Amino acid sequence: AMAEGGNDDVAGEPAGPATVATGDDLRIVSLLPSLTDIVAELGLAERVVGVTHECDNGLVLKRAGKGPVVVTESFIDPKAEQKEINDAVIESLAQNHSLYALKEDSLRPLAPTHVLTQSLCDVCAVAFEQVKSKCARLLADKPYKLLSVEPSTLQDVQESITLVGNNLGASREAIDAALNRFDTKKA
């Protein structure tokens, strides 16, 4: 996992300026549905201001008041036939193009304090380098933390829950409760 803010790069530890918000001032953009799920499990669904076009987390989408803004778009037609989708993915990867875009006009006004993403798979989410460069450009005048989480095992997912919780300032009780629900669900 990697946390970034401004020019700080720190592996596995909270990073960025001390002025990055926590608590009621959190403004979270989640660029991976599984990370949105972790945020919701930590009891922070109401702090999510931006999500992907694929977000399906009921706690985040159906909360009272204004829901989150969709900040990504896909270059692949979801109604296309399976072979067409596969061919488009193969061609996009061969040309080193991202399958998704981060919508600048949607991201900037949200002024997120935290942007959650991953760099493991460009087929799963907006390419990490695109996220990193656009956040650096669009959010340069505001303190924010970019957190990339790459779980590949169940143990990694558990560690991700703790890492995300710690970076968002979640209470130890909220993190433990989320970990207990995860243990119950995987059993």
Side-chain angles (χ1 to χ4, degrees):
M2 176 174 41
E4 298 185 6
N7 294 323
D8 299 331
D9 288 353
V10 180
E13 292 292 327
T19 56
V20 172
T22 58
D24 290 344
D25 294 328
L26 278 175
R27 299 180 56 75
I28 303 164
V29 168
S30 176
L31 301 178
L32 193 66
S34 61
L35 289 172
T36 308
D37 293 341
I38 289 173
V39 172
E41 288 293 326
L42 291 166
L44 299 170
E46 296 216 1
R47 301 288 167 230
V48 177
V49 295
V51 294
T52 73
H53 61 283
E54 295 178 334
C55 178
D56 63 357
N57 185 287
L59 290 174
V60 171
L61 296 176
K62 296 177 183 172
R63 67 174 195 244
K66 186 179 177 190
V69 172
V70 174
V71 297
T72 64
E73 60 188 337
S74 174
F75 296 120
I76 303 292
D77 178 3
K79 295 179 183 151
E81 296 294 320
Q82 185 175 356
K83 181 176 179 356
E84 293 173 303
I85 293 172
N86 186 61
D87 291 346
V89 169
I90 290 170
E91 181 180 337
S92 180
L93 292 175
Q95 294 179 9
N96 204 25
H97 292 147
S98 181
L99 299 171
Y100 310 100
L102 192 55
K103 298 180 345 185
E104 295 183 20
D105 58 338
S106 297
L107 178 65
R108 179 185 276 259
L110 294 176
T113 59
H114 295 76
V115 179
L116 308 180
T117 190
Q118 59 86 42
S119 63
L120 191 62
C121 174
D122 289 347
V123 175
C124 303
V126 179
F128 178 72
E129 288 305 316
Q130 180 186 154
V131 173
K132 187 176 174 180
S133 66
K134 285 191 177 188
C135 284
R137 184 169 46 82
L138 297 172
L139 307 175
D141 58 338
K142 298 178 175 39
Y144 71 94
K145 188 180 296 184
L146 176 60
L147 180 65
S148 182
V149 180
E150 291 80 29
S152 58
T153 67
L154 288 176
Q155 179 66 36
D156 291 346
V157 173
Q158 286 180 307
E159 291 170 7
S160 295
I161 292 168
T162 301
L163 179 69
V164 170
N166 286 336
N167 273 272
L168 296 178
S171 69
R172 184 73 242 167
E173 294 79 20
I175 294 170
D176 288 344
L179 288 168
N180 287 337
R181 285 189 296 277
F182 175 78
D183 286 339
T184 302
K185 289 178 181 177
K186 74 174 187 179

